Amino acid sequence: MVKIQPKTLFVGKNLIFLPSCHSTNDIASEIIQNKEFIDGTVILTDHQTAGKGQRGNVWESALGENLLMSVIIKTSFVKIERQFDLSIAVAISVFEALNAYAVSNLSIKWPNDIYLNNKKIGGILIENSISGQKMGNSIIGIGLNIHQTKFENPRASSLILESPQINFIRDTLVEKILEFLEQNLEALKEQKTNLLKKKYNDNLFAINEHRLFKTSEGILEGKITGVTENGLLKLISQNKEKYYNIKEIEYLFND
């Protein structure tokens, strides 16, 4: 029996738990299509048969070992041209929840992957719907590797592998994430975007480091300096500032 009682006003107050499903984001989409849903509804599962990641990738997750959930939020308060602000707020929420456990060496890899000791332990997939000239609803999918110990991807890891000294309980971690998410959504509503963006940039993976990247121009060396208001990655390379969308640049790792 799943018992999640976040200290929130609306996020997570309506919980749908499914032992298994194809994708919590797809379930959330089906709920929205039925026209009536409760703002802040959470869909939580032990196992996804067709989990989705960024760039159309499959989200790899072992049965019952990780955190897999989607949150449905009414986001009419977010401007269409500032959709990335929502991505920032969600990434910061997961980051702050883990910080509450005193997890060290955390970072956010643009646009919204969660890294620990330079390895990916979590990912976020946000699907927005637009109504007229404003945002309608958003489905916030969050995957966080907790107890899984074997991965096909060499850059993937989990909390238990990277921070074995900490006892992580999924349902408690879900509550923490939802509590920080509600706080940061409130900050968005109050247009405290500069504060959220500062937290994001302060904890951005590889910021101000010289690294190699793969782009349509080939392999280049550059330094990440931040992110634009519409979510493009800012890079200084050969004394020129360049901007990239998510499908236009790839980080290269030495190991």
Side-chain angles (χ1 to χ4, degrees), residues 90-160:
V90 177
I92 287 296
S93 300
V94 178
F95 183 93
E96 290 178 327
L98 291 172
N99 253 351
Y101 283 83
V103 177
S104 55
N105 298 321
L106 276 170
S107 59
I108 300 168
K109 180 174 171 288
W110 174 86
N112 49 26
D113 284 340
I114 306 300
Y115 266 46
L116 176 55
N117 296 332
N118 296 328
K119 291 191 175 183
K120 181 177 177 177
I121 60 161
I124 294 162
L125 179 64
I126 301 175
E127 297 176 288
N128 298 318
S129 65
I130 295 171
S131 178
Q133 296 300 311
K134 62 181 182 179
M135 294 268 280
N137 309 306
S138 295
I139 299 170
I140 300 167
I142 300 173
L144 196 59
N145 299 328
I146 302 177
H147 294 118
Q148 187 168 339
T149 56
K150 293 182 181 178
F151 298 90
E152 291 183 15
N153 184 343
R155 295 227 62 83
S157 192
S158 64
L159 289 168
I160 192 67

Side-chain angles (χ1 to χ4, degrees), residues 2-232:
V2 174
K3 289 186 178 180
I4 293 174
Q5 297 176 317
K7 297 173 183 176
T8 57
L9 294 177
F10 74 101
V11 175
K13 292 303 184 184
N14 183 43
L15 172 70
I16 299 169
F17 174 73
L18 302 170
S20 179
C21 68
H22 46 295
S23 159
T24 57
N25 267 30
D26 286 349
I27 297 294
S29 180
E30 292 168 10
I31 291 171
I32 289 174
Q33 287 171 16
N34 289 333
K35 303 299 182 185
E36 292 184 12
F37 67 91
I38 299 171
D39 193 15
T41 291
V42 171
I43 301 98
L44 181 69
T45 189
D46 282 339
H47 184 233
Q48 290 186 141
T49 57
K52 297 181 289 185
Q54 292 284 5
R55 304 173 190 255
N57 293 331
V58 173
W59 181 261
E60 178 188 354
S61 183
L63 174 63
E65 295 185 349
N66 302 315
L67 186 160
L68 303 165
M69 72 174 174
S70 295
V71 188
I72 305 174
I73 299 292
K74 295 178 181 179
T75 45
S76 57
F77 59 89
V78 179
K79 296 178 181 178
I80 291 177
E81 65 272 17
R82 297 294 296 267
Q83 293 180 45
F84 194 70
D85 288 346
L86 179 61
S87 185
I88 286 175
V90 177
I92 287 296
S93 300
V94 178
F95 183 93
E96 290 178 327
L98 291 172
N99 253 351
Y101 283 83
V103 177
S104 55
N105 298 321
L106 276 170
S107 59
I108 300 168
K109 180 174 171 288
W110 174 86
N112 49 26
D113 284 340
I114 306 300
Y115 266 46
L116 176 55
N117 296 332
N118 296 328
K119 291 191 175 183
K120 181 177 177 177
I121 60 161
I124 294 162
L125 179 64
I126 301 175
E127 297 176 288
N128 298 318
S129 65
I130 295 171
S131 178
Q133 296 300 311
K134 62 181 182 179
M135 294 268 280
N137 309 306
S138 295
I139 299 170
I140 300 167
I142 300 173
L144 196 59
N145 299 328
I146 302 177
H147 294 118
Q148 187 168 339
T149 56
K150 293 182 181 178
F151 298 90
E152 291 183 15
N153 184 343
R155 295 227 62 83
S157 192
S158 64
L159 289 168
I160 192 67
L161 289 175
E162 303 302 323
S163 297
Q165 74 281 7
I166 302 175
N167 180 31
F168 294 98
I169 299 171
R170 183 196 64 179
D171 292 358
T172 306
L173 191 49
V174 168
E175 291 174 348
K176 282 287 181 193
I177 292 172
L178 297 180
E179 288 163 10
F180 279 107
L181 179 60
E182 184 167 286
Q183 290 176 27
N184 289 319
L185 288 174
E186 193 59 34
L188 270 189
K189 290 176 183 178
E190 295 173 0
Q191 299 185 353
K192 296 178 180 177
T193 52
N194 287 339
L195 175 62
L196 292 172
K197 194 169 182 180
K198 183 179 187 309
K199 288 181 182 179
Y200 181 87
N201 282 325
D202 285 350
N203 296 289
L204 193 59
F205 176 77
I207 192 165
N208 295 321
E209 294 179 9
H210 287 278
R211 299 183 69 92
L212 292 176
F213 300 88
K214 182 180 178 181
T215 72
S216 57
E217 306 157 344
I219 306 298
L220 62 81
E221 183 180 350
K223 182 175 70 172
I224 296 171
T225 59
V227 178
T228 67
E229 288 186 355
N230 57 351
L232 299 180

